[in-house]
Amino acid sequence: MALVRRVSGAETIDAGTRLFHDLGLTGEQAIELLSQVGATFDVSFSAFERDRYFPDDDEAVGDELSRLLSLAPRDKAPFTVGHLIAVAETGGWFDPV
């Protein structure tokens, strides 16, 4: 959770906090977080499909505007802090159930 706080700048997170939908992590921020988790906990993200869970940086501009206008962001699968912790404990990426 400390890594998520550091990368996202969020002070309050829990296992149900979604990395994109709640914290707004996108593109480079997501890659930075996953790289740090991988290096710190020896986790492989080789099977991870970033586009399924996070918009790229160009898409993120539109998503931020949607968020400011209280519209739903792009349809991306939820990826929670709790799932990230489970992935770290397992040692490799697996899709959320």
Side-chain angles (χ1 to χ4, degrees):
M1 285 199 185
L3 286 174
V4 175
R5 281 189 192 98
R6 187 170 45 240
V7 171
S8 70
E11 294 181 18
T12 305
I13 60 171
D14 60 35
T17 302
R18 298 169 300 172
L19 300 176
F20 165 59
H21 297 92
D22 298 326
L23 299 178
L25 295 184
T26 61
E28 293 301 317
Q29 291 174 313
I31 294 302
E32 178 184 341
L33 174 61
L34 299 182
S35 293
Q36 287 185 26
V37 168
T40 303
F41 299 103
D42 193 29
V43 176
S44 171
F45 286 96
S46 61
F48 180 71
E49 297 175 45
R50 185 188 82 180
D51 293 341
R52 184 170 175 207
Y53 299 94
F54 299 98
D56 64 28
D57 290 332
D58 291 334
E59 289 176 314
V61 173
D63 289 326
E64 184 60 25
L65 181 58
S66 294
R67 201 180 326 278
L68 290 171
L69 296 173
S70 298
L71 302 173
R74 263 182 232 283
D75 189 25
K76 296 293 181 180
F79 180 0
T80 64
V81 172
H83 186 70
L84 183 59
I85 291 169
V87 167
E89 290 172 343
T90 303
W93 174 257
F94 61 94
D95 289 327
V97 177

